Amino acid sequence: MLVRSNVMPWGAAALVALSVFTTGCAGQNDDASAPKSRASASPPHGYVEGAQEKAEQQSRLLLNDPGTGDTRVLDLITGKAQKVSRRTGTTGLTTDGRLGYFHTSGGLHVLDGGAWTVDHGDHVHYYRAAVRDVGRLPGGPGTRVRSDAAVTTVTDEDGRARIYRRAELEKGRAGSPRTLPDTQAGVVVPYAEHLLSLTSLTDNGQDAARLAVYDRAGKRVASPDAVCEDPRGDAVTRRGVVLGCADGALLVRETDGAFTVQRIPYGEDVPEKERATAFRSRPGSDTLTASAGERAVWVLDVTERTWTRVKTGPVVAANTAGEGSPLIVLQSDGSLHGYDISTGKPLSKTKPLVTGAPEAATDQSAGPVIEVDRSRAYLNDPQGKRVYEIDYNDNLRVARTFDLDIEPALMVETGR
């Protein structure tokens, strides 16, 4: 694999991460590879067995070619791609920040990407370990996976949900799941040591659901007075959980064990085909993006509880880092465009980067996506067999180009 670089992009990030690391954990020895002679002492702060703690984020890209099943793990620190077992028949690829879930008609194949971040609020820990297979979880077409630090939920298309212990998955085994007993509508989302779900109901002939809150044992503990018509799309932010509805979104928040719901309406009539039904964002951000039909993008500012519709032209993929960063849009000619989130004003654009005439990825097809972290964005070019690293704070400059030996039609970023 050839890596073409315009700059050395990781040096500055490493210095920033090192500063946070040393400040937040002053006086602690966090070297996970310390001599075994220390085993009798108390484990150092942040210690994780089998992993090395690093001073900077250990981002990796999981890449898959659904046509051949070829799969690679691209280490963004070293620039090297690791060949792993083939995953054939893959229809989708999702991640929870560490584990990659390869969706197939026969179930979910789980891969530990070997890179993750632990956020303690006042400081952050970054880890790297070996890439390894975890195994297969049951789940057919339409299965959705959501995780937090303690549990992973796998929700079938018919709403049945299984709850797995995250610690077991991280040890390389699935373990025995619990089943959420009630019939659900949509996905089950872990949040604030509870599980959020939407229970089907009939509301004036419309598809609608009511919010329900469960404890980790699967017992319903709350039913806030909130109805969501035609629920589609969800995201966990620092401000709470966003659930997409026909008229906008619901924001679910927990404070001192109590759950409250606030509606964030579009403020205008939005045709069904222009609704926000799948959210993308930088992990940890409170700014969400979603397609608004074929020629615009929704930006939801969760902090301000506002929607902004940005007219962009033909949309293939979109994302943003939020917090003053541009909205990044891949258009149908293969070029990237940057827009001011609040005003919709065009800021920058690139030459065509993606080969051919790219089309938006759907639940049934793979395609280019934009993954965003705190300093860079990543764009896959399947036909060109490459991945671009984009400096979105420098007029969408291409910082590095990773040439591959597969067509990376499916891509997610881990380690964030």
Side-chain angles (χ1 to χ4, degrees), residues 293-320:
E294 297 179 352
R295 302 184 65 84
V297 174
W298 286 113
V299 177
L300 174 57
D301 185 328
V302 181
T303 302
E304 298 297 329
R305 317 289 200 268
T306 57
W307 293 90
T308 301
R309 189 174 188 271
V310 179
K311 296 180 180 180
T312 60
V315 179
V316 176
N319 210 335
T320 184

mmCIF file of all heavy atoms in Angstrom, residues 293-320:
data_model
loop_
_atom_site.group_PDB
_atom_site.id
_atom_site.type_symbol
_atom_site.label_atom_id
_atom_site.label_comp_id
_atom_site.label_asym_id
_atom_site.label_seq_id
_atom_site.Cartn_x
_atom_site.Cartn_y
_atom_site.Cartn_z
ATOM 1 N N GLY A 293 -33.230 15.222 1.454
ATOM 2 C CA GLY A 293 -33.528 14.970 0.048
ATOM 3 C C GLY A 293 -32.237 14.821 -0.737
ATOM 4 O O GLY A 293 -31.173 14.536 -0.183
ATOM 5 N N GLU A 294 -32.298 15.050 -2.025
ATOM 6 C CA GLU A 294 -31.153 14.810 -2.895
ATOM 7 C C GLU A 294 -30.255 16.027 -3.084
ATOM 8 O O GLU A 294 -29.137 15.888 -3.579
ATOM 9 C CB GLU A 294 -31.642 14.338 -4.273
ATOM 10 C CG GLU A 294 -32.400 13.006 -4.233
ATOM 11 C CD GLU A 294 -32.879 12.582 -5.594
ATOM 12 O OE1 GLU A 294 -32.751 13.391 -6.545
ATOM 13 O OE2 GLU A 294 -33.372 11.444 -5.719
ATOM 14 N N ARG A 295 -30.713 17.224 -2.677
ATOM 15 C CA ARG A 295 -29.941 18.424 -2.989
ATOM 16 C C ARG A 295 -29.753 19.358 -1.793
ATOM 17 O O ARG A 295 -29.525 20.562 -1.954
ATOM 18 C CB ARG A 295 -30.612 19.189 -4.142
ATOM 19 C CG ARG A 295 -30.779 18.360 -5.410
ATOM 20 C CD ARG A 295 -31.348 19.201 -6.538
ATOM 21 N NE ARG A 295 -30.431 20.269 -6.941
ATOM 22 C CZ ARG A 295 -29.434 20.099 -7.799
ATOM 23 N NH1 ARG A 295 -29.198 18.907 -8.343
ATOM 24 N NH2 ARG A 295 -28.653 21.112 -8.137
ATOM 25 N N ALA A 296 -29.840 18.821 -0.590
ATOM 26 C CA ALA A 296 -29.652 19.645 0.607
ATOM 27 C C ALA A 296 -29.283 18.755 1.782
ATOM 28 O O ALA A 296 -29.427 17.526 1.737
ATOM 29 C CB ALA A 296 -30.904 20.458 0.914
ATOM 30 N N VAL A 297 -28.795 19.392 2.852
ATOM 31 C CA VAL A 297 -28.386 18.680 4.062
ATOM 32 C C VAL A 297 -28.976 19.380 5.274
ATOM 33 O O VAL A 297 -28.943 20.616 5.373
ATOM 34 C CB VAL A 297 -26.839 18.643 4.184
ATOM 35 C CG1 VAL A 297 -26.419 18.041 5.515
ATOM 36 C CG2 VAL A 297 -26.223 17.871 3.026
ATOM 37 N N TRP A 298 -29.530 18.587 6.191
ATOM 38 C CA TRP A 298 -29.966 19.119 7.480
ATOM 39 C C TRP A 298 -28.788 19.176 8.438
ATOM 40 O O TRP A 298 -27.978 18.243 8.504
ATOM 41 C CB TRP A 298 -31.038 18.234 8.104
ATOM 42 C CG TRP A 298 -32.397 18.321 7.483
ATOM 43 C CD1 TRP A 298 -33.056 17.344 6.786
ATOM 44 C CD2 TRP A 298 -33.291 19.431 7.543
ATOM 45 N NE1 TRP A 298 -34.292 17.782 6.398
ATOM 46 C CE2 TRP A 298 -34.465 19.058 6.853
ATOM 47 C CE3 TRP A 298 -33.214 20.709 8.103
ATOM 48 C CZ2 TRP A 298 -35.548 19.930 6.703
ATOM 49 C CZ3 TRP A 298 -34.285 21.573 7.959
ATOM 50 C CH2 TRP A 298 -35.445 21.181 7.269
ATOM 51 N N VAL A 299 -28.692 20.262 9.195
ATOM 52 C CA VAL A 299 -27.747 20.379 10.305
ATOM 53 C C VAL A 299 -28.570 20.627 11.563
ATOM 54 O O VAL A 299 -29.294 21.627 11.653
ATOM 55 C CB VAL A 299 -26.736 21.517 10.085
ATOM 56 C CG1 VAL A 299 -25.821 21.636 11.295
ATOM 57 C CG2 VAL A 299 -25.923 21.282 8.819
ATOM 58 N N LEU A 300 -28.468 19.709 12.520
ATOM 59 C CA LEU A 300 -29.186 19.848 13.780
ATOM 60 C C LEU A 300 -28.211 20.233 14.880
ATOM 61 O O LEU A 300 -27.309 19.469 15.232
ATOM 62 C CB LEU A 300 -29.888 18.526 14.143
ATOM 63 C CG LEU A 300 -30.556 18.478 15.522
ATOM 64 C CD1 LEU A 300 -31.585 19.588 15.690
ATOM 65 C CD2 LEU A 300 -31.188 17.101 15.762
ATOM 66 N N ASP A 301 -28.378 21.451 15.402
ATOM 67 C CA ASP A 301 -27.585 21.925 16.533
ATOM 68 C C ASP A 301 -28.336 21.524 17.804
ATOM 69 O O ASP A 301 -29.342 22.146 18.167
ATOM 70 C CB ASP A 301 -27.414 23.445 16.465
ATOM 71 C CG ASP A 301 -26.485 23.993 17.543
ATOM 72 O OD1 ASP A 301 -26.450 23.410 18.642
ATOM 73 O OD2 ASP A 301 -25.794 24.990 17.286
ATOM 74 N N VAL A 302 -27.870 20.472 18.451
ATOM 75 C CA VAL A 302 -28.584 19.945 19.611
ATOM 76 C C VAL A 302 -28.519 20.911 20.779
ATOM 77 O O VAL A 302 -29.463 21.028 21.559
ATOM 78 C CB VAL A 302 -28.012 18.565 19.997
ATOM 79 C CG1 VAL A 302 -28.765 17.989 21.196
ATOM 80 C CG2 VAL A 302 -28.093 17.601 18.815
ATOM 81 N N THR A 303 -27.414 21.626 20.904
ATOM 82 C CA THR A 303 -27.275 22.594 21.993
ATOM 83 C C THR A 303 -28.308 23.712 21.874
ATOM 84 O O THR A 303 -28.966 24.078 22.857
ATOM 85 C CB THR A 303 -25.863 23.188 22.007
ATOM 86 O OG1 THR A 303 -24.904 22.140 22.136
ATOM 87 C CG2 THR A 303 -25.701 24.174 23.160
ATOM 88 N N GLU A 304 -28.459 24.254 20.665
ATOM 89 C CA GLU A 304 -29.385 25.363 20.445
ATOM 90 C C GLU A 304 -30.793 24.897 20.103
ATOM 91 O O GLU A 304 -31.718 25.719 20.000
ATOM 92 C CB GLU A 304 -28.859 26.254 19.316
ATOM 93 C CG GLU A 304 -27.513 26.907 19.616
ATOM 94 C CD GLU A 304 -27.588 27.846 20.797
ATOM 95 O OE1 GLU A 304 -28.654 28.455 21.018
ATOM 96 O OE2 GLU A 304 -26.562 27.965 21.514
ATOM 97 N N ARG A 305 -30.947 23.575 19.887
ATOM 98 C CA ARG A 305 -32.259 22.989 19.520
ATOM 99 C C ARG A 305 -32.781 23.591 18.216
ATOM 100 O O ARG A 305 -33.955 23.963 18.104
ATOM 101 C CB ARG A 305 -33.300 23.203 20.629
ATOM 102 C CG ARG A 305 -32.814 22.975 22.046
ATOM 103 C CD ARG A 305 -32.566 21.516 22.362
ATOM 104 N NE ARG A 305 -32.560 21.279 23.788
ATOM 105 C CZ ARG A 305 -31.467 21.297 24.560
ATOM 106 N NH1 ARG A 305 -30.284 21.547 24.009
ATOM 107 N NH2 ARG A 305 -31.551 21.069 25.859
ATOM 108 N N THR A 306 -31.919 23.681 17.217
ATOM 109 C CA THR A 306 -32.327 24.282 15.942
ATOM 110 C C THR A 306 -31.916 23.407 14.765
ATOM 111 O O THR A 306 -30.877 22.735 14.789
ATOM 112 C CB THR A 306 -31.674 25.670 15.757
ATOM 113 O OG1 THR A 306 -30.255 25.548 15.830
ATOM 114 C CG2 THR A 306 -32.171 26.647 16.817
ATOM 115 N N TRP A 307 -32.750 23.455 13.712
ATOM 116 C CA TRP A 307 -32.463 22.813 12.435
ATOM 117 C C TRP A 307 -32.059 23.887 11.421
ATOM 118 O O TRP A 307 -32.661 24.957 11.382
ATOM 119 C CB TRP A 307 -33.696 22.096 11.883
ATOM 120 C CG TRP A 307 -34.185 20.910 12.651
ATOM 121 C CD1 TRP A 307 -35.101 20.916 13.660
ATOM 122 C CD2 TRP A 307 -33.811 19.544 12.447
ATOM 123 N NE1 TRP A 307 -35.331 19.641 14.104
ATOM 124 C CE2 TRP A 307 -34.546 18.771 13.368
ATOM 125 C CE3 TRP A 307 -32.933 18.911 11.570
ATOM 126 C CZ2 TRP A 307 -34.432 17.381 13.442
ATOM 127 C CZ3 TRP A 307 -32.815 17.528 11.644
ATOM 128 C CH2 TRP A 307 -33.556 16.786 12.567
ATOM 129 N N THR A 308 -31.075 23.574 10.584
ATOM 130 C CA THR A 308 -30.714 24.442 9.467
ATOM 131 C C THR A 308 -30.648 23.593 8.210
ATOM 132 O O THR A 308 -29.991 22.539 8.205
ATOM 133 C CB THR A 308 -29.346 25.121 9.691
ATOM 134 O OG1 THR A 308 -29.391 25.893 10.898
ATOM 135 C CG2 THR A 308 -29.002 26.032 8.518
ATOM 136 N N ARG A 309 -31.335 24.029 7.175
ATOM 137 C CA ARG A 309 -31.312 23.305 5.906
ATOM 138 C C ARG A 309 -30.342 24.011 4.971
ATOM 139 O O ARG A 309 -30.547 25.163 4.597
ATOM 140 C CB ARG A 309 -32.711 23.254 5.280
ATOM 141 C CG ARG A 309 -32.821 22.339 4.067
ATOM 142 C CD ARG A 309 -34.287 22.263 3.622
ATOM 143 N NE ARG A 309 -34.479 21.273 2.588
ATOM 144 C CZ ARG A 309 -34.369 21.505 1.276
ATOM 145 N NH1 ARG A 309 -34.057 22.726 0.858
ATOM 146 N NH2 ARG A 309 -34.560 20.546 0.396
ATOM 147 N N VAL A 310 -29.257 23.313 4.621
ATOM 148 C CA VAL A 310 -28.215 23.889 3.776
ATOM 149 C C VAL A 310 -28.380 23.356 2.357
ATOM 150 O O VAL A 310 -28.327 22.145 2.124
ATOM 151 C CB VAL A 310 -26.812 23.531 4.308
ATOM 152 C CG1 VAL A 310 -25.735 24.130 3.405
ATOM 153 C CG2 VAL A 310 -26.649 24.025 5.741
ATOM 154 N N LYS A 311 -28.608 24.277 1.409
ATOM 155 C CA LYS A 311 -28.732 23.875 0.008
ATOM 156 C C LYS A 311 -27.335 23.627 -0.560
ATOM 157 O O LYS A 311 -26.481 24.512 -0.539
ATOM 158 C CB LYS A 311 -29.448 24.964 -0.786
ATOM 159 C CG LYS A 311 -30.890 25.188 -0.342
ATOM 160 C CD LYS A 311 -31.557 26.275 -1.164
ATOM 161 C CE LYS A 311 -32.999 26.498 -0.717
ATOM 162 N NZ LYS A 311 -33.670 27.565 -1.501
ATOM 163 N N THR A 312 -27.122 22.425 -1.074
ATOM 164 C CA THR A 312 -25.780 22.014 -1.450
ATOM 165 C C THR A 312 -25.638 21.563 -2.894
ATOM 166 O O THR A 312 -24.517 21.456 -3.396
ATOM 167 C CB THR A 312 -25.322 20.840 -0.576
ATOM 168 O OG1 THR A 312 -26.230 19.737 -0.771
ATOM 169 C CG2 THR A 312 -25.315 21.220 0.892
ATOM 170 N N GLY A 313 -26.726 21.252 -3.564
ATOM 171 C CA GLY A 313 -26.616 20.534 -4.820
ATOM 172 C C GLY A 313 -26.630 19.041 -4.550
ATOM 173 O O GLY A 313 -26.857 18.600 -3.415
ATOM 174 N N PRO A 314 -26.390 18.206 -5.557
ATOM 175 C CA PRO A 314 -26.522 16.755 -5.411
ATOM 176 C C PRO A 314 -25.641 16.194 -4.289
ATOM 177 O O PRO A 314 -24.428 16.348 -4.311
ATOM 178 C CB PRO A 314 -26.073 16.220 -6.777
ATOM 179 C CG PRO A 314 -26.269 17.356 -7.717
ATOM 180 C CD PRO A 314 -25.996 18.589 -6.927
ATOM 181 N N VAL A 315 -26.273 15.541 -3.302
ATOM 182 C CA VAL A 315 -25.579 15.057 -2.113
ATOM 183 C C VAL A 315 -25.334 13.557 -2.219
ATOM 184 O O VAL A 315 -26.259 12.780 -2.450
ATOM 185 C CB VAL A 315 -26.399 15.347 -0.840
ATOM 186 C CG1 VAL A 315 -25.673 14.810 0.390
ATOM 187 C CG2 VAL A 315 -26.663 16.830 -0.707
ATOM 188 N N VAL A 316 -24.073 13.166 -2.028
ATOM 189 C CA VAL A 316 -23.730 11.751 -1.926
ATOM 190 C C VAL A 316 -23.459 11.385 -0.471
ATOM 191 O O VAL A 316 -23.904 10.347 0.023
ATOM 192 C CB VAL A 316 -22.500 11.418 -2.798
ATOM 193 C CG1 VAL A 316 -22.086 9.959 -2.615
ATOM 194 C CG2 VAL A 316 -22.795 11.716 -4.255
ATOM 195 N N ALA A 317 -22.731 12.237 0.248
ATOM 196 C CA ALA A 317 -22.421 12.004 1.661
ATOM 197 C C ALA A 317 -22.153 13.345 2.320
ATOM 198 O O ALA A 317 -21.770 14.317 1.658
ATOM 199 C CB ALA A 317 -21.207 11.094 1.807
ATOM 200 N N ALA A 318 -22.357 13.401 3.636
ATOM 201 C CA ALA A 318 -22.126 14.648 4.375
ATOM 202 C C ALA A 318 -21.752 14.332 5.811
ATOM 203 O O ALA A 318 -22.133 13.295 6.366
ATOM 204 C CB ALA A 318 -23.361 15.536 4.342
ATOM 205 N N ASN A 319 -21.015 15.249 6.432
ATOM 206 C CA ASN A 319 -20.647 15.119 7.839
ATOM 207 C C ASN A 319 -20.022 16.433 8.292
ATOM 208 O O ASN A 319 -19.708 17.302 7.470
ATOM 209 C CB ASN A 319 -19.670 13.961 8.057
ATOM 210 C CG ASN A 319 -19.814 13.332 9.433
ATOM 211 O OD1 ASN A 319 -20.271 13.965 10.380
ATOM 212 N ND2 ASN A 319 -19.411 12.066 9.539
ATOM 213 N N THR A 320 -19.841 16.558 9.593
ATOM 214 C CA THR A 320 -19.171 17.743 10.140
ATOM 215 C C THR A 320 -18.574 17.403 11.489
ATOM 216 O O THR A 320 -19.067 16.511 12.200
ATOM 217 C CB THR A 320 -20.140 18.925 10.291
ATOM 218 O OG1 THR A 320 -19.410 20.071 10.750
ATOM 219 C CG2 THR A 320 -21.240 18.623 11.289
#
